[in-house]
Amino acid sequence: MKSITPPSNNKGLYIGVLFRNQYDNDICTWSPQGRIHQIEYALEAVKQGSAAVGLRSKTHAILLVLKRSSGDLSSYQKKIIKIDDHIGIAIAGLTSDARVLSNFMRTQAMRSKMLFNRPLPVYRIVSAIGDKAQTNTQHYGGRPYGVGLLIVGYDEKGPHLYEFAPSGNFFEYYAMSIGARSQSAKTYLEKHYESFADATLDELVRHGLHALRDTLQQDKEIDTQNCSVGVVGEDQKFETIEGDRLQRYLDLLDGGDTGQGGETVESMDTE
Amino acid sequence: MEWNFDPFSNNSFNHYGNNPINASHSAGGIIQRTQSPKVWGGTTLGVVYQDGVMLAADTLGSWGQLARYRKEERLYPVGNFTAIAYAGDMSDFQYTKHMLDSLMIKEYYINDDHVLSTPHVYEYLSRVMYHRRTKMDPLWNTFIVGGYNNGERFLGYVDLLGTTYQSSAISTGLGAYYAQPILRKAVEGREGLLTEAEAIELLNSCMRVLFYRDCKVINSIQRAKVTAAGVEITEPYSVSSEWGFGEGVRGFGSQKQ
């Protein structure tokens, strides 16, 4: 019988057990494959949060979110934050990071009002947090934000929808979804986005709710409690619609469950 | 360092002195910042008319009673659809010009098609003016800001205290007494009716009155008009004036009594 010899150098084994990856210990280290793992982990944190959907027409830009509660005794975590009369955000990921960012965005919006009497152009507020987030990916000892945002706004150039990611990347979209199982919503949006431009507000909300419903787990349904809608548009200040006021929009939904089953990602501190 | 320092002696400098008279600026001592204007621009006029707004000013920079600079341009474009006219200190205006130019360049390079329109420039300027008066270091100017953006006419006033108001006829300096009633009578209630020719004639006649009455106005004036086509500032020109009546006035000119 052949005896099994232990590895002559058990240091390699030790490192292998303690660290999953040699190159993901801080934000400043590249992996030989040309990746910065900490940034990619931050992007993963966004996917732990429940889904948020955004879309826009020629006149409006809207947000729809699925809210979580930690139990029957708890309230649902707020996911839509008003920044100014013309800008609002939906969040997916670490709520506390979102509060830091929204605080900053509100300050920027107030500054523009105070200095120029001008509602801040949406692009500028998004690029401001983009710069802020990028800085966090470049300095040793820091960490990226663990939250993704959908930003809707209405300015002189019409309605806008942006996605912001912890990497500092941001893009403008016709329609977008972030958060857990958001790929299902994206599939719906990709199928229907060409009809969004000329849609009425009601049609837009209906499309949004359908997309959001596709992110649900098999046995769940959206209702007035676990869902919020944010609306901004031409001659319409940003406003969050939730609770009983949402029923009118839920009634617009087609019957039947379009949600597909699948694995669920649950986490206590991400929303 | 002397450690046996006598605080009641007058003989040496007190290193530990806390008398604010001796303290440097950075230590929070008394500093005199309020300025007095040196080279001064006088009257400016602004009216709203059919196609936009029109501003007028003479080209004199006075140094006390001396007509020191006779070709000083006191109208200035800010961006494509805004013009400002200043009265007051010339150097403070040069500073303001530089400040606004820098702002417009910064905005331009953001490159997102958003442009500061006249109300935005006006708000910014008034914030700066109020800020400086709060520092007890005012920019010693009175500005008239005029512009035309997306079919909207804009005419506003802001001074060294940060005081603001908007009106369809604005004037500064002695013009506020001599020209303001004439402007109001011609413009108010007729903003959309006043033609360009009428507006030019109105400003010319007001400048003529001021040339006759205000000894710090010279007969070299400029007009700025802001319309949908942009800002247009004229070269300095003169208005007709009549001094023939002087022949019969005792004490006129160099004649003896």
Side-chain angles (χ1 to χ4, degrees):
Chain A
M1 195 174 166
K2 204 177 176 183
S3 68
I4 299 164
T5 51
S8 56
N9 175 8
N10 65 3
K11 196 183 166 198
L13 185 68
Y14 173 74
I15 290 175
V17 169
L18 199 59
F19 305 114
R20 192 146 68 100
N21 185 328
Q22 210 176 335
Y23 298 102
D24 70 350
N25 291 306
D26 67 71
I27 201 69
C28 292
T29 307
W30 289 94
S31 80
Q33 287 75 38
R35 307 156 70 132
I36 302 173
H37 291 278
Q38 283 291 333
I39 296 176
E40 294 182 14
Y41 295 163
L43 294 170
E44 290 302 314
V46 177
K47 297 179 191 163
Q48 307 271 334
S50 62
V53 172
L55 55 163
R56 69 177 164 92
S57 67
K58 279 178 186 160
T59 54
H60 290 82
I62 65 168
L63 296 169
L64 305 96
V65 294
L66 197 61
K67 292 185 289 187
R68 277 193 193 136
S69 72
S70 55
D72 291 345
L73 298 176
S74 123
S75 65
Y76 285 84
Q77 176 65 47
K78 186 176 157 188
K79 297 235 319 164
I80 290 182
I81 302 170
K82 177 176 168 172
I83 301 299
D84 199 348
D85 282 342
H86 68 300
I87 293 176
I89 62 171
I91 66 177
L94 294 179
T95 311
S96 41
D97 280 5
R99 284 168 49 76
V100 170
L101 282 171
S102 62
N103 210 350
F104 172 77
M105 293 169 86
R106 284 177 175 177
T107 310
Q108 294 295 307
M110 280 166 66
R111 199 180 112 88
S112 180
K113 260 188 187 171
M114 169 92 186
L115 258 182
F116 298 110
N117 187 26
R118 168 173 72 172
L120 189 58
V122 187
Y123 168 82
R124 297 194 183 184
I125 206 164
V126 180
S127 64
I129 57 169
D131 290 352
K132 212 169 141 64
Q134 195 281 335
T135 306
N136 284 353
T137 66
Q138 214 177 1
H139 296 289
Y140 182 83
R143 65 163 177 85
Y145 291 110
V147 70
L149 306 179
L150 291 178
I151 298 112
V152 292
Y154 191 90
D155 60 26
E156 284 174 352
K157 305 286 170 194
H160 298 280
L161 165 68
Y162 286 92
E163 182 208 7
F164 158 85
S167 53
N169 269 325
F170 59 90
F171 294 102
E172 185 163 19
Y173 288 97
Y174 295 111
M176 190 56 188
S177 63
I178 57 172
R181 299 155 58 83
S182 59
Q183 185 54 50
S184 314
K186 229 171 276 173
T187 306
Y188 178 93
L189 296 171
E190 280 164 4
K191 195 172 160 195
H192 293 93
Y193 80 98
E194 278 162 327
S195 66
F196 294 168
D198 295 311
T200 64
L201 181 57
D202 277 4
E203 283 164 5
L204 210 57
V205 175
R206 198 178 67 88
H207 277 303
L209 286 171
H210 271 131
L212 190 68
R213 189 162 69 172
D214 286 354
T215 72
L216 288 165
Q217 298 156 43
Q218 190 88 66
D219 55 335
K220 297 269 177 62
E221 189 49 76
I222 45 176
D223 56 40
T224 56
Q225 294 305 302
N226 66 8
C227 179
S228 292
V229 179
V231 178
V232 68
E234 202 172 17
D235 303 320
Q236 182 163 8
K237 289 179 178 176
F238 184 84
E239 163 181 45
T240 309
I241 299 165
E242 50 197 354
D244 292 340
R245 289 183 60 212
L246 204 59
Q247 191 57 51
R248 194 178 85 73
Y249 294 101
L250 294 175
D251 291 342
L252 298 171
L253 279 176
D254 296 338
D257 183 15
T258 55
Q260 308 131 342
E263 45 59 83
T264 61
V265 185
E266 287 291 348
S267 175
M268 289 293 281
D269 55 355
T270 56
E271 299 297 336
Chain B
M1 183 87 30
E2 313 170 51
W3 292 105
N4 56 348
F5 179 73
D6 175 6
F8 300 105
S9 155
N10 257 338
N11 294 334
S12 58
F13 179 72
N14 179 355
H15 294 283
Y16 307 98
N18 53 6
N19 184 334
I21 299 290
N22 296 331
S24 68
H25 170 200
S26 59
I30 295 172
I31 44 169
Q32 179 62 268
R33 276 183 136 157
T34 307
Q35 308 157 327
S36 52
K38 293 293 184 292
V39 178
W40 183 271
T43 285
T44 53
L45 308 173
V47 290
V48 156
Y49 73 105
Q50 221 171 35
D51 310 322
V53 299
M54 208 178 276
L55 309 176
D58 70 351
T59 60
L60 177 64
S62 303
W63 192 53
Q65 290 295 101
L66 179 70
R68 180 67 183 81
Y69 301 103
R70 298 167 63 85
K71 265 203 160 175
E72 170 63 16
E73 301 205 351
R74 295 167 57 219
L75 301 170
Y76 192 67
V78 180
N80 292 331
F81 294 96
T82 305
I84 59 175
Y86 88 94
D89 190 70
M90 191 166 111
S91 62
D92 281 355
F93 174 66
Q94 287 169 345
Y95 170 83
T96 308
K97 268 204 298 203
H98 183 80
M99 181 186 73
L100 291 175
D101 282 347
S102 309
L103 173 70
M104 298 310 280
I105 290 169
K106 234 169 90 182
E107 285 280 315
Y108 178 78
Y109 279 117
I110 293 177
N111 197 23
D112 62 354
D113 289 347
H114 287 275
V115 187
L116 289 176
S117 63
T118 312
H120 304 145
V121 172
Y122 177 66
E123 184 74 21
Y124 182 77
L125 191 55
S126 66
R127 291 296 173 191
V128 170
M129 295 301 273
Y130 183 72
H131 173 68
R132 290 293 296 258
R133 83 103 226 189
T134 307
K135 289 209 302 185
M136 298 290 278
D137 185 17
L139 292 171
W140 213 290
N141 292 118
T142 309
F143 293 109
I144 299 179
V145 181
Y148 189 83
N149 302 86
N150 306 321
E152 294 270 333
R153 294 181 287 255
F154 184 96
L155 189 64
Y157 165 104
V158 55
D159 66 13
L160 77 167
L161 299 175
T163 308
T164 58
Y165 67 88
Q166 291 164 48
S167 173
S168 50
I170 296 175
S171 47
T172 69
L174 271 186
Y177 301 88
Y178 289 124
Q180 188 72 280
I182 305 171
L183 295 178
R184 282 189 181 152
K185 194 173 174 192
V187 176
E188 283 186 352
R190 300 187 62 241
E191 288 87 353
L193 301 173
L194 202 68
T195 64
E196 180 175 335
E198 284 174 320
I200 293 172
E201 184 47 40
L202 175 65
L203 292 176
N204 283 348
S205 65
C206 285
M207 289 310 293
R208 185 183 294 111
V209 169
L210 287 160
F211 176 48
Y212 282 140
R213 302 287 173 182
D214 180 349
C215 61
K216 285 192 189 176
V217 169
I218 57 170
N219 195 2
S220 166
I221 62 179
Q222 281 183 293
R223 275 182 289 108
K225 76 170 181 184
V226 192
T227 61
V231 182
E232 210 176 291
I233 298 178
T234 67
E235 288 300 308
Y237 66 97
S238 299
V239 290
S240 63
S241 56
E242 171 55 53
W243 298 93
F245 60 88
E247 292 300 321
V249 177
R250 206 161 63 154
F252 182 83
S254 57
Q255 66 181 319
K256 296 284 185 312
Q257 290 207 20

